[in-house]
Amino acid sequence: MSVRLLYLFMGRSQASKDAEIMVLRHEVMVLRRQVARPQPDWADRAILAAFSRLLPAALRGSRLVIPGTLLAWHRRLIARKWTYPSRAGRPRTGQEGRDLVLRLAGENPAWGYRRVHGELVRLGHSVSEAAVRRILRACGYRPAPRGLDTSWRTFLRVQAEGLLACDFFTVDTIFLRRLYVLFVMEVATRRVHILGVTRYPDGAWTAQQARNLLMDVGERIGSSRFLIRDCDTKFTAAFDAVFAIEGVRVVESPPQTPRANCYAERRTLGTDDP
C-alpha cells in the first residue's frame, strides 16, 4: 500500500501523467460505445455538477455531463419543489344549457353574445359569457354588429403609445430559493425596466421601487397615461398613488384574466411578442 502511494504522489513525471490521462480518455470513449445510457444517482450528479464548471469551455461539450444536462437537472429540481395540486376547472355546460343558448340565438337574430348571456342570467341559469360565446361561435353565430368598438383589445392598441404594464416574474436559484422580480414595460417600445429583486416582496417594497422608477425615467413619465397591473395584494394604494401624482392612471385587471395584461404576462412566461 505504501509503495502504491509513493508511486502515485512522488515517482511520476509530467509526461507519464499526460500519457495516463490520454489512455484514460480513450478507455472512456471505448466504454461509452459499449454501455447503455448511464443512470447517475444524486451523489454522482452533485460531484459532476461541481467539477464540470472547472473544465475549460472547449472540453465541456464532450463530457458525460454537458451544460444542457446540468440545466435539465436544475429544472427537474424546481419542478419537484414547486409542484402544486391539480385544480379542477369549471364544469362543462350541460346539453340542456347548450340547447337553450342556441334557441335564444335562433329566435332572436339581432341579439349578440352579451344579450344572450344576459337573458340566461335573468332566467336563473349560471353560465359564463365566455361559454355562451364559445357555444355560439362553434355553431356559426357571429356577434351583433356595433358602431363603436370599445373592446379591451382596441383600448390596448389605441393607447399603446402611453401605456405601461407591470408584473412580477420569478427566478429559482441553484439552491431552490425563489426570487421575485418586479418589472415595468413600455408597451409601445417593449422596453423593460427591472425595478428590483427580492425574496420577500411586500407593499412598502413595491411602492419604493415605483418611486425609484420615476426618478430614473424623469420627465419621460409624462408621456405615459395608463399603467396596467393585476390585483396582487403587493400593489397597494401607496403604489398607485406614486403614479397618480404624475398623472398616470392605474388600471387594475380583473381576477384570473391574464389576457387583460397580456404584454406583461407574456414576459413572465418568457415568450416573445407576436
Side-chain angles (χ1 to χ4, degrees):
M1 188 67 173
S2 59
V3 175
R4 182 183 179 185
L5 291 175
L6 289 175
Y7 169 76
L8 291 174
F9 293 100
M10 298 180 58
R12 305 180 61 189
S13 63
Q14 185 63 37
S16 64
K17 294 179 182 179
D18 294 340
E20 183 175 357
I21 291 175
M22 295 294 294
V23 172
L24 291 175
R25 287 182 178 177
H26 190 73
E27 289 178 351
V28 170
M29 294 176 59
V30 173
L31 292 176
R32 284 183 179 179
R33 294 196 297 264
Q34 298 178 357
V35 300
R37 183 177 180 179
Q39 300 292 334
D41 56 18
W42 70 269
D44 298 329
R45 294 178 178 178
I47 294 174
L48 293 173
F51 286 98
S52 62
R53 62 184 298 270
L54 303 178
L55 294 174
L59 298 179
R60 294 176 186 174
S62 59
R63 297 297 89 200
L64 183 65
V65 177
I66 61 176
T69 308
L70 300 179
L71 293 175
W73 290 347
H74 186 232
R75 287 193 295 268
R76 292 177 188 173
L77 288 174
I78 295 174
R80 292 176 183 175
K81 179 177 177 60
W82 300 105
T83 299
Y84 299 98
S86 59
R87 301 176 180 177
R90 293 180 177 178
R92 296 176 60 88
T93 305
Q95 185 62 39
E96 181 181 355
R98 295 174 59 89
D99 294 340
L100 183 57
V101 170
L102 297 175
R103 177 183 174 184
L104 289 176
E107 295 178 354
N108 303 275
W111 287 6
Y113 301 154
R114 295 182 180 178
R115 180 67 183 276
V116 173
H117 172 256
E119 294 297 328
L120 288 172
V121 173
R122 289 180 57 186
L123 294 175
H125 294 274
S126 178
V127 59
S128 67
E129 184 179 344
V132 173
R133 181 171 60 252
R134 186 166 51 251
I135 293 172
L136 294 178
R137 281 184 177 179
C139 295
Y141 288 92
R142 309 309 303 169
R146 290 182 293 179
L148 179 63
D149 188 1
T150 58
S151 65
W152 183 254
R153 178 180 298 179
T154 302
F155 168 77
L156 295 179
R157 183 172 61 251
V158 173
Q159 301 294 339
E161 291 296 331
L163 193 61
L164 301 175
C166 71
D167 204 349
F168 285 90
F169 69 86
T170 58
V171 177
D172 293 287
T173 66
I174 188 65
F175 299 107
L176 301 182
R177 294 179 179 177
R178 175 152 291 189
L179 303 178
Y180 293 85
V181 183
L182 175 63
F183 72 94
V184 171
M185 175 193 295
E186 299 179 20
V187 174
T189 60
R190 301 300 194 273
R191 182 178 180 181
V192 177
H193 302 270
I194 301 298
L195 304 190
V197 182
T198 182
R199 288 191 63 189
Y200 306 105
D202 55 15
W205 180 85
T206 306
Q208 183 58 46
Q209 303 312 310
R211 299 186 189 98
N212 296 342
L213 171 67
L214 297 185
M215 294 176 59
D216 292 339
V217 299
E219 296 181 355
R220 287 196 296 115
I221 194 64
S223 60
S224 301
R225 299 183 56 192
F226 298 96
L227 170 71
I228 303 177
R229 63 167 180 83
D230 56 26
C231 54
D232 197 320
T233 56
K234 293 184 283 292
F235 296 120
T236 60
F239 177 86
D240 297 344
V242 173
F243 291 95
I245 294 174
E246 300 295 332
V248 179
R249 179 182 175 184
V250 177
V251 180
E252 180 178 332
S253 61
Q256 300 182 359
T257 53
R259 291 186 178 181
N261 195 8
C262 56
Y263 299 103
E265 290 292 340
R266 291 179 69 86
R267 286 300 176 186
T268 61
L269 296 175
T271 55
D272 296 329
D273 294 314

